[in-house]
């Protein structure tokens, strides 16, 4: 680039040639001048800020710069506090869900509330200064934020774990309620057990596929477990008969009843009154013939009733004694 200089005092025009090198050097000098002036101004402003004899302009400039720095710090602090408050609120809600979930799992697992109380904070303590880690130190804002984030992730993992445990315990509890472990009649013994015996009518050796519980006519018969009634009818050998499907291919049969109080399709609960003892069908006297079948094959009911010997819905139900085969 050429610059042509014209002036009356000059006898002839002069020209100056500027290269890119000259332009770059001029820009560098300009930037250095600007930064140098700003640094010098800041130096004098900070040095004479507290001086009573200093120029009021310098004092105002120093106060303005200090105020801007304070405002920036306060804005940063407020933003971080707002983020932490939101995170803290989320964690409080998550902890409430964890407490409720923990109480449900505690109930399903059979743990007594006084042994593990979610309403009380666990006790903690210890020395202030450790021989290993030394004296304690203050926690910074960024470090506290990292701790909160890690705690939130950890709480989420524990929620997932407790949900899985609750599902497993609930499934086990449902399955246990569907097992026929509740004694169907509240009597002290059975008059005929599961297995081979002499038939009371023919006198021949025959296989008995259930248990016979002798009881007065009208004695309550209850469901050994929850299920769906699939048969409520009169059978020429079993008399008034009721069958309940408990799922998993398990069926219970209640025979020789005087009355049936459930019909096909009814959903019955464990311990629900479904019939009364009678002597209908092929029977020598008032009793309940009780069977448990898995995939259509008769099973020994005593194996199931033994599981519920310490529980069940029958009040003070006595253990089953074998009178003879």
């Amino acid at each position: 680039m050429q610059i042509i200089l014209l002036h009356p005092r000059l006898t002839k025009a002069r020209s100056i040639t500027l290269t890119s090198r000259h332009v770059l050097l001029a820009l560098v000098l300009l930037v250095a001048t600007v930064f140098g002036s700003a640094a010098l101004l800041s130096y004098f402003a900070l040095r004479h800020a507290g001086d009573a004899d200093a120029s009021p302009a310098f004092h105002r400039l120093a106060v303005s710069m200090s105020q801007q720095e304070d405002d920036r710090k306060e804005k940063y602090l407020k933003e971080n506090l707002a983020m932490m408050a939101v995170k803290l609120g989320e964690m409080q809600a998550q902890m409430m869900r964890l407490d409720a979930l923990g109480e449900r799992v505690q109930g399903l697992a059979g743990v007594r509330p006084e042994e593990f109380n979610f309403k009380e904070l666990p006790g903690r303590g210890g020395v202030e200064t450790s021989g290993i880690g030394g004296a304690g130190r203050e926690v910074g804002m960024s470090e506290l934020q990292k701790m909160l984030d890690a705690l939130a992730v950890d709480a989420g993992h524990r929620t997932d774990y407790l949900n899985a445990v609750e599902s497993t315990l609930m499934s086990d509890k449902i399955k246990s309620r569907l097992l026929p472990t509740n004694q169907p009649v509240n009597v002290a013994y059975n008059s005929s057990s599961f297995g081979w015996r002499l038939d009371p009518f023919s006198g021949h050796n025959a296989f008995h596929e259930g248990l016979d519980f002798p009881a007065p006519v009208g004695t309550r018969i209850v469901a050994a477990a929850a299920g769906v009634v699939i048969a409520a009818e009169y059978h020429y050998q079993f008399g008034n008969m009721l069958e309940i499907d408990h799922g998993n291919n398990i069926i219970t049969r209640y025979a020789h009843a005087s009355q049936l109080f459930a019909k096909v399709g009814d959903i019955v609960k464990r311990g629900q009154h479904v019939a009364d003892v009678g002597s209908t069908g092929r029977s020598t006297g008032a009793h309940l013939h009780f069977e448990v079948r898995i995939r259509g094959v008769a099973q020994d009911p005593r194996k199931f009733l033994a599981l519920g010997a310490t529980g069940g819905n029958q009040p003070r139900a006595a253990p089953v004694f074998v009178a003879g085969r």
Side-chain angles (χ1 to χ4, degrees):
M1 180 174 63
Q2 287 188 340
I3 299 176
I4 299 175
L5 300 178
L6 298 175
H7 197 273
R9 294 182 180 181
L10 297 177
T11 57
K12 62 179 181 178
R14 294 184 179 181
S15 64
I16 300 175
T17 303
L18 296 179
T19 64
S20 58
R21 191 174 182 181
H22 293 114
V23 175
L24 182 62
L25 181 61
L27 288 175
V28 170
L29 290 175
L30 179 61
V31 170
T33 302
V34 171
F35 276 99
S37 300
L40 187 63
L41 184 62
S42 299
Y43 171 76
F44 280 108
L46 294 175
R47 178 166 181 170
H48 299 286
D51 191 356
D53 298 331
S55 171
F58 280 115
H59 180 71
R60 287 194 299 270
L61 179 61
V63 171
S64 176
M65 292 176 63
S66 177
Q67 184 65 37
Q68 289 178 1
E69 182 68 16
D70 291 342
D71 292 344
R72 186 182 66 81
K73 290 182 179 179
E74 184 177 1
K75 181 180 179 181
Y76 172 78
L77 184 62
K78 287 182 177 179
E79 289 176 352
N80 279 271
L81 285 176
M83 292 174 59
M84 291 175 64
V86 172
K87 180 66 70 175
L88 183 60
E90 293 175 354
M91 290 186 61
Q92 286 176 339
Q94 199 165 12
M95 291 303 295
M96 290 177 65
R97 289 196 297 268
L98 269 175
D99 287 344
L101 182 58
E103 289 179 353
R104 293 200 302 270
V105 171
Q106 174 188 14
L108 289 172
V111 180
R112 292 183 297 179
E114 57 269 20
E115 293 179 0
F116 202 88
N117 190 355
F118 284 87
K119 302 298 183 183
E120 295 181 0
L121 294 176
R124 299 188 299 173
V127 296
E128 182 177 1
T129 303
S130 170
I132 299 176
R137 59 184 178 83
E138 294 184 357
V139 179
M141 184 72 71
S142 60
E143 188 176 2
L144 182 59
Q145 183 66 45
K146 290 179 180 178
M147 292 171 63
L148 284 174
D149 292 339
L151 189 59
V153 173
D154 196 29
H157 290 165
R158 278 167 167 72
T159 301
D160 295 339
Y161 172 75
L162 281 177
N163 276 322
V165 173
E166 183 190 25
S167 298
T168 302
L169 289 173
M170 182 65 74
S171 177
D172 292 342
K173 195 175 186 68
I174 291 174
K175 289 179 180 178
S176 67
R177 288 185 177 275
L178 295 177
L179 287 177
T181 57
N182 191 57
Q183 191 166 318
V185 179
N186 187 17
V187 297
Y189 68 100
N190 66 75
S191 59
S192 187
S193 299
F194 179 86
W196 291 96
R197 67 169 186 177
L198 292 176
D199 186 89
F201 288 93
S202 66
H204 296 161
N205 198 24
F207 194 89
H208 188 230
E209 296 185 340
L211 296 177
D212 287 343
F213 295 96
V217 175
T219 302
R220 291 162 54 94
I221 299 173
V222 299
V228 179
V229 177
I230 59 173
E233 60 193 16
Y234 184 86
H235 189 277
Y236 75 99
Q237 294 193 70
F238 289 126
N240 291 325
M241 180 192 70
L242 193 72
E243 288 185 350
I244 301 175
D245 188 346
H246 306 286
N248 297 318
N249 299 306
I250 300 176
I251 293 174
T252 53
R253 177 178 292 166
Y254 312 78
H256 308 302
S258 60
Q259 293 185 81
L260 302 178
F261 299 107
K263 61 183 183 297
V264 175
D266 285 353
I267 299 175
V268 297
K269 299 178 181 178
R270 179 185 179 90
Q272 180 177 328
H273 183 199
V274 293
D276 284 344
V277 170
S279 184
T280 56
R282 193 170 183 265
S283 170
T284 61
H287 72 287
L288 166 67
H289 173 81
F290 175 66
E291 292 183 13
V292 177
R293 291 180 170 270
I294 298 179
R295 294 186 177 89
V297 179
Q299 307 291 321
D300 189 349
R302 290 174 299 184
K303 295 188 299 183
F304 295 91
L305 297 180
L307 296 176
T310 57
N313 294 328
Q314 286 289 349
R316 300 179 182 177
V320 177
F321 298 101
V322 179
R325 294 191 176 186

